[in-house]
Amino acid sequence: MGREEQVEEREVLDSIFPDEITDISDTEYRILIKLDLPDDDHHGGDEAPEPPTLILSVRYPENYPDEAPILDISPPQNATPYPHFSVAADKEQLLKGLEDTIQENIGMAMVFTLVTTLKEEAEQLIADRKAADAKAHEEAILAAEREENKKFHGTPVTPETFMKWREGFLKEMEEKQRREEEEKLAELKKAKVKEPVRLTGRQLWERGLVGKADDEDDDSIPTEQVQELKIGA
């Protein structure tokens, strides 16, 4: 009974996967499974990566389908590495993901169901990893934006930060005033050295210097001239 069901299933599989199935023996064969992925890895002018392919090896035990088939997963020879997926690394997880399907189909031909389940499982695994990478990339961008925005928002004002700012501001103003006074003093010193201060006529009068000058001039006039001026008068 088991052998008849095995032959019948093998004939059906040959009609479904005419180019993908390869016999190894009467009770063993391989099915090439090419994953279907959205073309979201194609950016700009870059060539889209080839979707990954895996090989499901199936061997019938004597009592199949009342007994689970013996399965193995491997990559094709010279397979191009694909981001987010590795047959060698993901093999154990993929096989474990088929266990429930096997148990649900014990007693029935199940290889087609296993191929479908394996294909969907591998495609979902890749989709989840892409989504995780996209989320991490987005979070990194948002974190960088938050750091950049901190430059424009400044430090939140609190009583402590205000007092610290005020103390620094007062010190800065004192230092600025001290420098300005030093500069003015230096300029005054240079002015005194270069040119003596000239007083206006009003300043001479206010300081009483005009009268002194007249007295000095009067003292310089000879007495004889003074007498002559008196007689003439």
Side-chain angles (χ1 to χ4, degrees):
M1 181 67 178
R3 181 57 187 155
E4 292 177 2
E5 291 181 341
Q6 294 172 15
V7 172
E8 182 179 350
E9 180 181 42
R10 175 65 186 80
E11 291 176 352
V12 172
L13 291 172
D14 196 34
S15 65
I16 299 174
F17 305 110
D19 300 324
E20 293 85 6
I21 194 166
T22 303
D23 286 320
I24 298 175
S25 67
D26 292 340
T27 59
E28 186 175 359
Y29 51 88
R30 295 173 180 171
I31 301 176
L32 190 68
I33 304 172
K34 185 174 182 179
L35 303 184
D36 295 321
L37 301 173
D39 192 19
D40 55 2
D41 287 328
H42 191 192
H43 300 291
D46 298 336
E47 184 179 354
E50 187 71 18
T53 301
L54 56 156
I55 298 173
L56 175 64
S57 298
V58 181
R59 181 160 62 89
Y60 290 142
E62 184 177 355
N63 296 324
Y64 177 86
D66 294 327
E67 183 180 347
I70 300 170
L71 306 175
D72 191 23
I73 301 173
S74 60
Q77 290 185 350
N78 303 320
T80 303
Y82 188 87
H84 309 106
F85 184 74
S86 168
V87 175
D90 298 324
K91 172 181 175 179
E92 183 177 351
Q93 180 177 349
L94 293 172
L95 287 173
K96 188 174 181 61
L98 297 176
E99 292 178 357
D100 290 342
T101 303
I102 292 173
Q103 294 304 315
E104 292 170 358
N105 290 274
I106 287 292
M108 299 180 292
M110 66 178 78
V111 174
F112 176 75
T113 304
L114 292 175
V115 171
T116 302
T117 302
L118 176 60
K119 181 175 181 293
E120 292 176 350
E121 182 181 316
E123 290 170 351
Q124 186 61 48
L125 182 63
I126 294 173
D128 292 344
R129 288 172 177 171
K130 286 182 177 180
D133 282 358
K135 183 178 180 180
H137 179 67
E138 183 179 357
E139 290 177 350
I141 293 176
L142 291 175
E145 290 178 351
R146 286 193 295 269
E147 289 299 320
E148 186 68 17
N149 289 336
K150 286 181 181 179
K151 300 177 181 178
F152 302 99
H153 290 304
T155 304
V157 178
T158 63
E160 292 77 11
T161 57
F162 174 76
M163 292 303 296
K164 184 176 181 180
W165 170 84
R166 183 174 181 275
E167 180 181 355
F169 177 76
L170 292 177
K171 287 183 179 179
E172 183 179 350
M173 291 298 100
E174 291 176 358
E175 179 65 20
K176 182 179 180 181
Q177 184 178 1
R178 183 185 63 80
R179 289 196 304 267
E180 290 176 352
E181 291 178 352
E182 289 178 353
E183 291 173 359
K184 289 180 179 179
L185 182 60
E187 290 177 0
L188 289 174
K189 289 181 178 179
K190 290 180 181 179
K192 289 180 179 180
V193 170
K194 291 181 179 179
E195 183 179 353
V197 178
R198 293 181 177 273
L199 299 178
T200 65
R202 182 180 180 83
Q203 289 174 331
L204 290 171
W205 176 266
E206 291 175 348
R207 298 184 185 186
L209 297 178
V210 174
K212 291 181 179 180
D214 293 341
D215 293 341
E216 292 174 358
D217 292 340
D218 292 343
D219 293 340
S220 61
I221 299 175
T223 304
E224 295 80 3
Q225 295 180 6
V226 173
Q227 291 176 352
E228 291 176 0
L229 288 173
K230 289 181 178 180
I231 295 170

PDB file of all heavy atoms in Angstrom, residues 89-125:
ATOM      1  N   ALA A  89      23.085  28.320   7.108  1.00  0.00           N
ATOM      2  CA  ALA A  89      22.824  28.870   8.437  1.00  0.00           C
ATOM      3  C   ALA A  89      21.368  28.689   8.854  1.00  0.00           C
ATOM      4  O   ALA A  89      21.071  28.531  10.040  1.00  0.00           O
ATOM      5  CB  ALA A  89      23.201  30.342   8.467  1.00  0.00           C
ATOM      6  N   ASP A  90      20.444  28.707   7.888  1.00  0.00           N
ATOM      7  CA  ASP A  90      19.010  28.665   8.204  1.00  0.00           C
ATOM      8  C   ASP A  90      18.406  27.273   8.074  1.00  0.00           C
ATOM      9  O   ASP A  90      17.201  27.100   8.304  1.00  0.00           O
ATOM     10  CB  ASP A  90      18.255  29.635   7.281  1.00  0.00           C
ATOM     11  CG  ASP A  90      18.695  31.076   7.474  1.00  0.00           C
ATOM     12  OD1 ASP A  90      18.990  31.447   8.624  1.00  0.00           O
ATOM     13  OD2 ASP A  90      18.757  31.825   6.478  1.00  0.00           O
ATOM     14  N   LYS A  91      19.200  26.305   7.700  1.00  0.00           N
ATOM     15  CA  LYS A  91      18.693  24.954   7.452  1.00  0.00           C
ATOM     16  C   LYS A  91      17.938  24.378   8.642  1.00  0.00           C
ATOM     17  O   LYS A  91      16.809  23.882   8.506  1.00  0.00           O
ATOM     18  CB  LYS A  91      19.869  24.046   7.087  1.00  0.00           C
ATOM     19  CG  LYS A  91      19.521  22.572   6.979  1.00  0.00           C
ATOM     20  CD  LYS A  91      20.770  21.771   6.627  1.00  0.00           C
ATOM     21  CE  LYS A  91      20.489  20.281   6.627  1.00  0.00           C
ATOM     22  NZ  LYS A  91      21.685  19.498   6.265  1.00  0.00           N
ATOM     23  N   GLU A  92      18.521  24.432   9.820  1.00  0.00           N
ATOM     24  CA  GLU A  92      17.886  23.846  11.000  1.00  0.00           C
ATOM     25  C   GLU A  92      16.549  24.508  11.300  1.00  0.00           C
ATOM     26  O   GLU A  92      15.555  23.833  11.603  1.00  0.00           O
ATOM     27  CB  GLU A  92      18.824  23.972  12.195  1.00  0.00           C
ATOM     28  CG  GLU A  92      18.289  23.321  13.466  1.00  0.00           C
ATOM     29  CD  GLU A  92      19.276  23.401  14.612  1.00  0.00           C
ATOM     30  OE1 GLU A  92      20.423  23.806  14.375  1.00  0.00           O
ATOM     31  OE2 GLU A  92      18.899  23.059  15.746  1.00  0.00           O
ATOM     32  N   GLN A  93      16.491  25.829  11.210  1.00  0.00           N
ATOM     33  CA  GLN A  93      15.249  26.553  11.481  1.00  0.00           C
ATOM     34  C   GLN A  93      14.166  26.198  10.454  1.00  0.00           C
ATOM     35  O   GLN A  93      12.988  26.029  10.802  1.00  0.00           O
ATOM     36  CB  GLN A  93      15.516  28.054  11.460  1.00  0.00           C
ATOM     37  CG  GLN A  93      14.279  28.909  11.723  1.00  0.00           C
ATOM     38  CD  GLN A  93      14.596  30.395  11.755  1.00  0.00           C
ATOM     39  OE1 GLN A  93      15.767  30.783  11.792  1.00  0.00           O
ATOM     40  NE2 GLN A  93      13.574  31.226  11.746  1.00  0.00           N
ATOM     41  N   LEU A  94      14.574  26.067   9.191  1.00  0.00           N
ATOM     42  CA  LEU A  94      13.608  25.745   8.142  1.00  0.00           C
ATOM     43  C   LEU A  94      13.041  24.336   8.307  1.00  0.00           C
ATOM     44  O   LEU A  94      11.832  24.118   8.135  1.00  0.00           O
ATOM     45  CB  LEU A  94      14.265  25.897   6.767  1.00  0.00           C
ATOM     46  CG  LEU A  94      14.651  27.321   6.369  1.00  0.00           C
ATOM     47  CD1 LEU A  94      15.475  27.318   5.089  1.00  0.00           C
ATOM     48  CD2 LEU A  94      13.427  28.203   6.205  1.00  0.00           C
ATOM     49  N   LEU A  95      13.888  23.389   8.627  1.00  0.00           N
ATOM     50  CA  LEU A  95      13.416  22.015   8.825  1.00  0.00           C
ATOM     51  C   LEU A  95      12.488  21.916  10.034  1.00  0.00           C
ATOM     52  O   LEU A  95      11.479  21.203   9.998  1.00  0.00           O
ATOM     53  CB  LEU A  95      14.607  21.065   8.993  1.00  0.00           C
ATOM     54  CG  LEU A  95      15.414  20.765   7.724  1.00  0.00           C
ATOM     55  CD1 LEU A  95      16.656  19.951   8.058  1.00  0.00           C
ATOM     56  CD2 LEU A  95      14.558  20.037   6.677  1.00  0.00           C
ATOM     57  N   LYS A  96      12.833  22.648  11.073  1.00  0.00           N
ATOM     58  CA  LYS A  96      11.988  22.639  12.274  1.00  0.00           C
ATOM     59  C   LYS A  96      10.613  23.230  11.969  1.00  0.00           C
ATOM     60  O   LYS A  96       9.590  22.810  12.518  1.00  0.00           O
ATOM     61  CB  LYS A  96      12.676  23.420  13.390  1.00  0.00           C
ATOM     62  CG  LYS A  96      11.958  23.306  14.736  1.00  0.00           C
ATOM     63  CD  LYS A  96      12.762  23.977  15.813  1.00  0.00           C
ATOM     64  CE  LYS A  96      12.066  23.845  17.168  1.00  0.00           C
ATOM     65  NZ  LYS A  96      11.889  22.446  17.584  1.00  0.00           N
ATOM     66  N   GLY A  97      10.595  24.197  11.063  1.00  0.00           N
ATOM     67  CA  GLY A  97       9.338  24.825  10.690  1.00  0.00           C
ATOM     68  C   GLY A  97       8.407  23.899   9.916  1.00  0.00           C
ATOM     69  O   GLY A  97       7.220  24.198   9.759  1.00  0.00           O
ATOM     70  N   LEU A  98       8.923  22.754   9.437  1.00  0.00           N
ATOM     71  CA  LEU A  98       8.104  21.788   8.688  1.00  0.00           C
ATOM     72  C   LEU A  98       7.497  20.719   9.580  1.00  0.00           C
ATOM     73  O   LEU A  98       6.651  19.937   9.113  1.00  0.00           O
ATOM     74  CB  LEU A  98       8.955  21.118   7.600  1.00  0.00           C
ATOM     75  CG  LEU A  98       9.516  22.024   6.499  1.00  0.00           C
ATOM     76  CD1 LEU A  98      10.412  21.231   5.566  1.00  0.00           C
ATOM     77  CD2 LEU A  98       8.385  22.684   5.721  1.00  0.00           C
ATOM     78  N   GLU A  99       7.900  20.667  10.828  1.00  0.00           N
ATOM     79  CA  GLU A  99       7.466  19.574  11.709  1.00  0.00           C
ATOM     80  C   GLU A  99       5.950  19.551  11.897  1.00  0.00           C
ATOM     81  O   GLU A  99       5.323  18.478  11.846  1.00  0.00           O
ATOM     82  CB  GLU A  99       8.178  19.681  13.056  1.00  0.00           C
ATOM     83  CG  GLU A  99       9.675  19.402  12.965  1.00  0.00           C
ATOM     84  CD  GLU A  99      10.371  19.552  14.309  1.00  0.00           C
ATOM     85  OE1 GLU A  99       9.688  19.936  15.297  1.00  0.00           O
ATOM     86  OE2 GLU A  99      11.592  19.293  14.381  1.00  0.00           O
ATOM     87  N   ASP A 100       5.343  20.702  12.126  1.00  0.00           N
ATOM     88  CA  ASP A 100       3.887  20.736  12.324  1.00  0.00           C
ATOM     89  C   ASP A 100       3.146  20.286  11.070  1.00  0.00           C
ATOM     90  O   ASP A 100       2.146  19.556  11.143  1.00  0.00           O
ATOM     91  CB  ASP A 100       3.442  22.143  12.721  1.00  0.00           C
ATOM     92  CG  ASP A 100       3.899  22.534  14.114  1.00  0.00           C
ATOM     93  OD1 ASP A 100       4.261  21.629  14.900  1.00  0.00           O
ATOM     94  OD2 ASP A 100       3.898  23.748  14.421  1.00  0.00           O
ATOM     95  N   THR A 101       3.643  20.716   9.907  1.00  0.00           N
ATOM     96  CA  THR A 101       2.998  20.318   8.647  1.00  0.00           C
ATOM     97  C   THR A 101       3.083  18.812   8.451  1.00  0.00           C
ATOM     98  O   THR A 101       2.123  18.172   7.972  1.00  0.00           O
ATOM     99  CB  THR A 101       3.668  21.048   7.465  1.00  0.00           C
ATOM    100  OG1 THR A 101       3.594  22.452   7.678  1.00  0.00           O
ATOM    101  CG2 THR A 101       2.984  20.700   6.160  1.00  0.00           C
ATOM    102  N   ILE A 102       4.209  18.236   8.798  1.00  0.00           N
ATOM    103  CA  ILE A 102       4.368  16.773   8.676  1.00  0.00           C
ATOM    104  C   ILE A 102       3.376  16.048   9.569  1.00  0.00           C
ATOM    105  O   ILE A 102       2.670  15.113   9.130  1.00  0.00           O
ATOM    106  CB  ILE A 102       5.816  16.374   9.024  1.00  0.00           C
ATOM    107  CG1 ILE A 102       6.777  16.900   7.952  1.00  0.00           C
ATOM    108  CG2 ILE A 102       5.932  14.848   9.147  1.00  0.00           C
ATOM    109  CD1 ILE A 102       8.251  16.714   8.289  1.00  0.00           C
ATOM    110  N   GLN A 103       3.272  16.478  10.802  1.00  0.00           N
ATOM    111  CA  GLN A 103       2.363  15.814  11.740  1.00  0.00           C
ATOM    112  C   GLN A 103       0.906  15.962  11.302  1.00  0.00           C
ATOM    113  O   GLN A 103       0.100  15.043  11.474  1.00  0.00           O
ATOM    114  CB  GLN A 103       2.561  16.398  13.141  1.00  0.00           C
ATOM    115  CG  GLN A 103       3.914  16.102  13.757  1.00  0.00           C
ATOM    116  CD  GLN A 103       4.202  14.614  13.811  1.00  0.00           C
ATOM    117  OE1 GLN A 103       3.341  13.799  14.190  1.00  0.00           O
ATOM    118  NE2 GLN A 103       5.426  14.231  13.446  1.00  0.00           N
ATOM    119  N   GLU A 104       0.567  17.081  10.728  1.00  0.00           N
ATOM    120  CA  GLU A 104      -0.814  17.314  10.290  1.00  0.00           C
ATOM    121  C   GLU A 104      -1.179  16.467   9.066  1.00  0.00           C
ATOM    122  O   GLU A 104      -2.370  16.232   8.803  1.00  0.00           O
ATOM    123  CB  GLU A 104      -1.012  18.793   9.947  1.00  0.00           C
ATOM    124  CG  GLU A 104      -0.939  19.715  11.156  1.00  0.00           C
ATOM    125  CD  GLU A 104      -0.896  21.182  10.754  1.00  0.00           C
ATOM    126  OE1 GLU A 104      -0.895  21.455   9.519  1.00  0.00           O
ATOM    127  OE2 GLU A 104      -0.835  22.050  11.647  1.00  0.00           O
ATOM    128  N   ASN A 105      -0.164  16.013   8.314  1.00  0.00           N
ATOM    129  CA  ASN A 105      -0.440  15.292   7.063  1.00  0.00           C
ATOM    130  C   ASN A 105      -0.014  13.824   7.092  1.00  0.00           C
ATOM    131  O   ASN A 105       0.058  13.184   6.029  1.00  0.00           O
ATOM    132  CB  ASN A 105       0.261  16.001   5.901  1.00  0.00           C
ATOM    133  CG  ASN A 105      -0.367  17.336   5.559  1.00  0.00           C
ATOM    134  OD1 ASN A 105      -1.319  17.407   4.787  1.00  0.00           O
ATOM    135  ND2 ASN A 105       0.156  18.406   6.150  1.00  0.00           N
ATOM    136  N   ILE A 106       0.294  13.295   8.244  1.00  0.00           N
ATOM    137  CA  ILE A 106       0.635  11.880   8.350  1.00  0.00           C
ATOM    138  C   ILE A 106      -0.533  11.050   7.808  1.00  0.00           C
ATOM    139  O   ILE A 106      -1.696  11.276   8.125  1.00  0.00           O
ATOM    140  CB  ILE A 106       0.931  11.489   9.811  1.00  0.00           C
ATOM    141  CG1 ILE A 106       2.290  12.056  10.234  1.00  0.00           C
ATOM    142  CG2 ILE A 106       0.914   9.968  10.004  1.00  0.00           C
ATOM    143  CD1 ILE A 106       3.478  11.435   9.536  1.00  0.00           C
ATOM    144  N   GLY A 107      -0.190  10.071   6.940  1.00  0.00           N
ATOM    145  CA  GLY A 107      -1.214   9.226   6.317  1.00  0.00           C
ATOM    146  C   GLY A 107      -1.630   9.722   4.950  1.00  0.00           C
ATOM    147  O   GLY A 107      -2.407   9.061   4.255  1.00  0.00           O
ATOM    148  N   MET A 108      -1.126  10.881   4.534  1.00  0.00           N
ATOM    149  CA  MET A 108      -1.471  11.444   3.228  1.00  0.00           C
ATOM    150  C   MET A 108      -0.192  11.849   2.494  1.00  0.00           C
ATOM    151  O   MET A 108       0.843  12.121   3.102  1.00  0.00           O
ATOM    152  CB  MET A 108      -2.357  12.683   3.399  1.00  0.00           C
ATOM    153  CG  MET A 108      -3.683  12.419   4.089  1.00  0.00           C
ATOM    154  SD  MET A 108      -4.665  13.935   4.238  1.00  0.00           S
ATOM    155  CE  MET A 108      -3.683  14.857   5.425  1.00  0.00           C
ATOM    156  N   ALA A 109      -0.287  11.913   1.165  1.00  0.00           N
ATOM    157  CA  ALA A 109       0.825  12.431   0.372  1.00  0.00           C
ATOM    158  C   ALA A 109       1.042  13.891   0.758  1.00  0.00           C
ATOM    159  O   ALA A 109       0.104  14.695   0.710  1.00  0.00           O
ATOM    160  CB  ALA A 109       0.523  12.283  -1.106  1.00  0.00           C
ATOM    161  N   MET A 110       2.253  14.237   1.122  1.00  0.00           N
ATOM    162  CA  MET A 110       2.476  15.565   1.718  1.00  0.00           C
ATOM    163  C   MET A 110       3.613  16.363   1.109  1.00  0.00           C
ATOM    164  O   MET A 110       3.868  17.502   1.519  1.00  0.00           O
ATOM    165  CB  MET A 110       2.755  15.402   3.226  1.00  0.00           C
ATOM    166  CG  MET A 110       4.063  14.674   3.537  1.00  0.00           C
ATOM    167  SD  MET A 110       4.395  14.549   5.305  1.00  0.00           S
ATOM    168  CE  MET A 110       3.315  13.219   5.774  1.00  0.00           C
ATOM    169  N   VAL A 111       4.330  15.814   0.139  1.00  0.00           N
ATOM    170  CA  VAL A 111       5.531  16.497  -0.347  1.00  0.00           C
ATOM    171  C   VAL A 111       5.195  17.849  -0.980  1.00  0.00           C
ATOM    172  O   VAL A 111       5.902  18.840  -0.757  1.00  0.00           O
ATOM    173  CB  VAL A 111       6.295  15.600  -1.332  1.00  0.00           C
ATOM    174  CG1 VAL A 111       7.464  16.381  -1.956  1.00  0.00           C
ATOM    175  CG2 VAL A 111       6.819  14.366  -0.616  1.00  0.00           C
ATOM    176  N   PHE A 112       4.125  17.906  -1.786  1.00  0.00           N
ATOM    177  CA  PHE A 112       3.768  19.192  -2.383  1.00  0.00           C
ATOM    178  C   PHE A 112       3.478  20.223  -1.293  1.00  0.00           C
ATOM    179  O   PHE A 112       3.899  21.380  -1.399  1.00  0.00           O
ATOM    180  CB  PHE A 112       2.542  19.040  -3.300  1.00  0.00           C
ATOM    181  CG  PHE A 112       2.066  20.349  -3.856  1.00  0.00           C
ATOM    182  CD1 PHE A 112       2.752  20.985  -4.875  1.00  0.00           C
ATOM    183  CD2 PHE A 112       0.940  20.974  -3.326  1.00  0.00           C
ATOM    184  CE1 PHE A 112       2.323  22.209  -5.381  1.00  0.00           C
ATOM    185  CE2 PHE A 112       0.508  22.198  -3.821  1.00  0.00           C
ATOM    186  CZ  PHE A 112       1.205  22.821  -4.847  1.00  0.00           C
ATOM    187  N   THR A 113       2.762  19.805  -0.237  1.00  0.00           N
ATOM    188  CA  THR A 113       2.464  20.722   0.869  1.00  0.00           C
ATOM    189  C   THR A 113       3.744  21.154   1.566  1.00  0.00           C
ATOM    190  O   THR A 113       3.891  22.318   1.961  1.00  0.00           O
ATOM    191  CB  THR A 113       1.524  20.042   1.873  1.00  0.00           C
ATOM    192  OG1 THR A 113       0.340  19.615   1.187  1.00  0.00           O
ATOM    193  CG2 THR A 113       1.138  20.996   2.988  1.00  0.00           C
ATOM    194  N   LEU A 114       4.685  20.222   1.703  1.00  0.00           N
ATOM    195  CA  LEU A 114       5.961  20.556   2.349  1.00  0.00           C
ATOM    196  C   LEU A 114       6.756  21.557   1.511  1.00  0.00           C
ATOM    197  O   LEU A 114       7.378  22.477   2.053  1.00  0.00           O
ATOM    198  CB  LEU A 114       6.782  19.284   2.578  1.00  0.00           C
ATOM    199  CG  LEU A 114       6.222  18.304   3.612  1.00  0.00           C
ATOM    200  CD1 LEU A 114       7.066  17.030   3.661  1.00  0.00           C
ATOM    201  CD2 LEU A 114       6.164  18.952   4.988  1.00  0.00           C
ATOM    202  N   VAL A 115       6.752  21.373   0.189  1.00  0.00           N
ATOM    203  CA  VAL A 115       7.462  22.310  -0.686  1.00  0.00           C
ATOM    204  C   VAL A 115       6.859  23.706  -0.565  1.00  0.00           C
ATOM    205  O   VAL A 115       7.577  24.711  -0.442  1.00  0.00           O
ATOM    206  CB  VAL A 115       7.409  21.825  -2.151  1.00  0.00           C
ATOM    207  CG1 VAL A 115       7.949  22.913  -3.087  1.00  0.00           C
ATOM    208  CG2 VAL A 115       8.219  20.562  -2.314  1.00  0.00           C
ATOM    209  N   THR A 116       5.528  23.785  -0.573  1.00  0.00           N
ATOM    210  CA  THR A 116       4.841  25.080  -0.459  1.00  0.00           C
ATOM    211  C   THR A 116       5.141  25.733   0.880  1.00  0.00           C
ATOM    212  O   THR A 116       5.435  26.940   0.951  1.00  0.00           O
ATOM    213  CB  THR A 116       3.328  24.881  -0.618  1.00  0.00           C
ATOM    214  OG1 THR A 116       3.056  24.261  -1.877  1.00  0.00           O
ATOM    215  CG2 THR A 116       2.603  26.220  -0.530  1.00  0.00           C
ATOM    216  N   THR A 117       5.080  24.938   1.956  1.00  0.00           N
ATOM    217  CA  THR A 117       5.342  25.476   3.292  1.00  0.00           C
ATOM    218  C   THR A 117       6.780  25.957   3.424  1.00  0.00           C
ATOM    219  O   THR A 117       7.045  27.035   3.978  1.00  0.00           O
ATOM    220  CB  THR A 117       5.055  24.405   4.359  1.00  0.00           C
ATOM    221  OG1 THR A 117       3.692  23.971   4.237  1.00  0.00           O
ATOM    222  CG2 THR A 117       5.290  24.951   5.761  1.00  0.00           C
ATOM    223  N   LEU A 118       7.717  25.156   2.907  1.00  0.00           N
ATOM    224  CA  LEU A 118       9.135  25.529   2.982  1.00  0.00           C
ATOM    225  C   LEU A 118       9.391  26.826   2.214  1.00  0.00           C
ATOM    226  O   LEU A 118      10.117  27.705   2.696  1.00  0.00           O
ATOM    227  CB  LEU A 118       9.989  24.401   2.424  1.00  0.00           C
ATOM    228  CG  LEU A 118      11.499  24.662   2.351  1.00  0.00           C
ATOM    229  CD1 LEU A 118      12.066  24.942   3.737  1.00  0.00           C
ATOM    230  CD2 LEU A 118      12.208  23.475   1.688  1.00  0.00           C
ATOM    231  N   LYS A 119       8.820  26.959   1.051  1.00  0.00           N
ATOM    232  CA  LYS A 119       9.006  28.163   0.237  1.00  0.00           C
ATOM    233  C   LYS A 119       8.470  29.395   0.973  1.00  0.00           C
ATOM    234  O   LYS A 119       9.144  30.427   1.065  1.00  0.00           O
ATOM    235  CB  LYS A 119       8.307  27.988  -1.109  1.00  0.00           C
ATOM    236  CG  LYS A 119       8.445  29.155  -2.069  1.00  0.00           C
ATOM    237  CD  LYS A 119       7.816  28.791  -3.407  1.00  0.00           C
ATOM    238  CE  LYS A 119       7.943  29.931  -4.417  1.00  0.00           C
ATOM    239  NZ  LYS A 119       7.162  31.110  -4.039  1.00  0.00           N
ATOM    240  N   GLU A 120       7.271  29.290   1.507  1.00  0.00           N
ATOM    241  CA  GLU A 120       6.673  30.415   2.228  1.00  0.00           C
ATOM    242  C   GLU A 120       7.472  30.758   3.485  1.00  0.00           C
ATOM    243  O   GLU A 120       7.642  31.939   3.823  1.00  0.00           O
ATOM    244  CB  GLU A 120       5.234  30.070   2.594  1.00  0.00           C
ATOM    245  CG  GLU A 120       4.312  29.957   1.396  1.00  0.00           C
ATOM    246  CD  GLU A 120       2.919  29.508   1.781  1.00  0.00           C
ATOM    247  OE1 GLU A 120       2.733  29.106   2.961  1.00  0.00           O
ATOM    248  OE2 GLU A 120       2.020  29.547   0.922  1.00  0.00           O
ATOM    249  N   GLU A 121       7.955  29.729   4.160  1.00  0.00           N
ATOM    250  CA  GLU A 121       8.725  29.957   5.388  1.00  0.00           C
ATOM    251  C   GLU A 121      10.028  30.692   5.091  1.00  0.00           C
ATOM    252  O   GLU A 121      10.401  31.635   5.808  1.00  0.00           O
ATOM    253  CB  GLU A 121       9.016  28.608   6.048  1.00  0.00           C
ATOM    254  CG  GLU A 121       9.769  28.695   7.365  1.00  0.00           C
ATOM    255  CD  GLU A 121      10.033  27.316   7.937  1.00  0.00           C
ATOM    256  OE1 GLU A 121       9.123  26.485   7.924  1.00  0.00           O
ATOM    257  OE2 GLU A 121      11.177  27.086   8.384  1.00  0.00           O
ATOM    258  N   ALA A 122      10.723  30.294   4.042  1.00  0.00           N
ATOM    259  CA  ALA A 122      11.984  30.946   3.682  1.00  0.00           C
ATOM    260  C   ALA A 122      11.741  32.389   3.242  1.00  0.00           C
ATOM    261  O   ALA A 122      12.490  33.305   3.608  1.00  0.00           O
ATOM    262  CB  ALA A 122      12.678  30.155   2.573  1.00  0.00           C
ATOM    263  N   GLU A 123      10.696  32.611   2.458  1.00  0.00           N
ATOM    264  CA  GLU A 123      10.380  33.967   2.001  1.00  0.00           C
ATOM    265  C   GLU A 123      10.003  34.869   3.174  1.00  0.00           C
ATOM    266  O   GLU A 123      10.405  36.038   3.212  1.00  0.00           O
ATOM    267  CB  GLU A 123       9.224  33.904   0.986  1.00  0.00           C
ATOM    268  CG  GLU A 123       9.638  33.274  -0.332  1.00  0.00           C
ATOM    269  CD  GLU A 123       8.458  32.984  -1.249  1.00  0.00           C
ATOM    270  OE1 GLU A 123       7.299  33.119  -0.791  1.00  0.00           O
ATOM    271  OE2 GLU A 123       8.687  32.622  -2.420  1.00  0.00           O
ATOM    272  N   GLN A 124       9.261  34.335   4.144  1.00  0.00           N
ATOM    273  CA  GLN A 124       8.884  35.132   5.313  1.00  0.00           C
ATOM    274  C   GLN A 124      10.103  35.444   6.172  1.00  0.00           C
ATOM    275  O   GLN A 124      10.217  36.547   6.731  1.00  0.00           O
ATOM    276  CB  GLN A 124       7.839  34.384   6.138  1.00  0.00           C
ATOM    277  CG  GLN A 124       7.272  35.195   7.287  1.00  0.00           C
ATOM    278  CD  GLN A 124       6.575  36.449   6.813  1.00  0.00           C
ATOM    279  OE1 GLN A 124       5.760  36.402   5.885  1.00  0.00           O
ATOM    280  NE2 GLN A 124       6.893  37.588   7.416  1.00  0.00           N
ATOM    281  N   LEU A 125      11.004  34.496   6.263  1.00  0.00           N
ATOM    282  CA  LEU A 125      12.238  34.710   7.034  1.00  0.00           C
ATOM    283  C   LEU A 125      13.037  35.869   6.464  1.00  0.00           C
ATOM    284  O   LEU A 125      13.523  36.745   7.196  1.00  0.00           O
ATOM    285  CB  LEU A 125      13.073  33.426   7.030  1.00  0.00           C
ATOM    286  CG  LEU A 125      14.373  33.435   7.830  1.00  0.00           C
ATOM    287  CD1 LEU A 125      14.091  33.634   9.315  1.00  0.00           C
ATOM    288  CD2 LEU A 125      15.148  32.133   7.609  1.00  0.00           C
TER     289      LEU A 125
END
